[in-house]
Amino acid sequence: MIQPTLLQDIPVTFAPDALLPRLRLRPGSSEAKEFEELVAQAQPLARPRAAFLVGYIDHKDDEGVVVDGVRFTSRVLRTNLDAAHRAFAYIATCGLELQEWAGSLYDVLHQFWAEEIKVAALRAATQAVMDEIAVLNPGKMASMNPGSLPDWPIQEQKPFFQLLGDASAAIGVTLSDSCLMTPNKSVTGLRFANTNDWVNCRLCTREACPGRAAPYDAAFHAERYRNAGLASQ
């Protein structure tokens, strides 16, 4: 197995003007100024991190794939990796520093705002790892994330962390027995070459998701994933 690449010094600059609309705060209002003070606290603490490795596909069957000796059970993933020989396993996080800072806040509203700041840090980490992977694999790519679809449930985080080995601990991310990550603003995924316009959201029926990147597409499922067991979900 190729050793993971760690991204420990990812720059991030929080822009209050860009975050205010996401929190429905009016620029210049007293709440907006309060939020800007919170951003000023968070900025020097922010240390988003990420890691990734190149995993080679050992085996494929109807129910899933084996990557570097670790089995992932998902028929959608199997279909997406049908022509692939490798995939990039990645993990990105807002960082323990922001997690601990947010946990020290007493005001419930401030806690809510802090979560949006942590999301911004996670976005920076995710973009950084995507950029690094793109250097090694130029061209169109897509990702699947454990827990994003019923076909690849959150329990699949366990083999994912097994594949990543010490990389997750090296950037400060742990997995609980219930498969929840700490810091909570962390994400894992497999990234792969893609020519089919794959986006997780196109097979997800949860309409009110704030992170939705594409509408649910029943026709897309019927055409590409009719054998993946999702028709009734």
Side-chain angles (χ1 to χ4, degrees):
M1 178 188 295
I2 297 175
Q3 290 300 307
T5 297
L6 305 181
L7 307 179
Q8 301 271 28
D9 299 306
I10 298 171
V12 59
T13 300
F14 301 122
D17 290 346
L19 296 175
L20 289 175
R22 299 181 65 88
L23 294 169
R24 299 184 180 181
L25 297 178
R26 182 171 52 83
S29 66
S30 60
E31 284 191 333
K33 292 178 180 178
E34 200 172 337
F35 174 69
E36 289 168 0
E37 292 174 1
L38 205 64
V39 169
Q41 291 180 31
Q43 183 64 70
L45 301 174
R47 297 289 185 276
R49 300 177 180 88
F52 73 94
L53 60 80
V54 184
Y56 289 89
I57 300 170
D58 303 324
H59 175 73
K60 303 173 186 177
D61 57 41
D62 290 344
E63 299 299 322
V65 299
V66 177
V67 180
D68 283 345
V70 178
R71 179 169 182 80
F72 296 100
T73 302
S74 165
R75 283 182 277 180
V76 171
L77 178 65
R78 165 64 177 85
T79 301
N80 279 335
L81 296 179
D82 188 52
H85 300 288
R86 67 178 186 174
F88 296 82
Y90 67 87
I91 182 168
T93 180
C94 69
L96 280 171
E97 294 82 359
L98 285 184
Q99 176 82 7
E100 293 172 356
W101 164 75
S104 72
L105 301 174
Y106 293 101
D107 188 287
V108 174
L109 186 57
H110 287 182
Q111 293 172 1
F112 176 72
W113 290 346
E115 291 303 301
E116 191 61 39
I117 295 171
K118 287 161 62 181
V119 168
L122 174 59
R123 287 198 195 98
T126 304
Q127 187 60 57
V129 75
M130 297 296 178
D131 290 344
E132 289 289 326
I133 291 172
V135 172
L136 298 176
N137 197 114
K140 194 172 183 180
M141 301 190 76
S143 298
M144 281 190 67
N145 314 96
S148 60
L149 293 172
D151 176 72
W152 205 23
I154 195 170
Q155 289 77 12
E156 287 284 296
Q157 291 283 28
K158 291 181 179 179
F160 199 96
F161 270 67
Q162 180 184 347
L163 177 63
L164 287 168
D166 295 335
S168 54
I171 63 170
V173 181
T174 58
L175 188 69
S176 72
D177 291 340
S178 57
C179 296
L180 298 178
M181 289 184 287
T182 300
N184 65 329
K185 300 308 181 187
S186 301
V187 66
T188 59
L190 277 180
R191 194 150 178 82
F192 47 88
N194 170 62
T195 59
N196 298 295
D197 298 321
W198 167 261
V199 180
N200 289 327
C201 303
R202 294 182 72 182
L203 293 191
C204 178
T205 57
R206 183 186 170 199
E207 295 182 1
C209 177
R212 178 169 285 282
Y216 171 68
D217 190 339
F220 178 66
H221 166 254
E223 176 185 357
R224 172 77 177 160
Y225 303 97
R226 56 184 174 274
N227 295 320
L230 293 178
S232 62
Q233 296 171 357

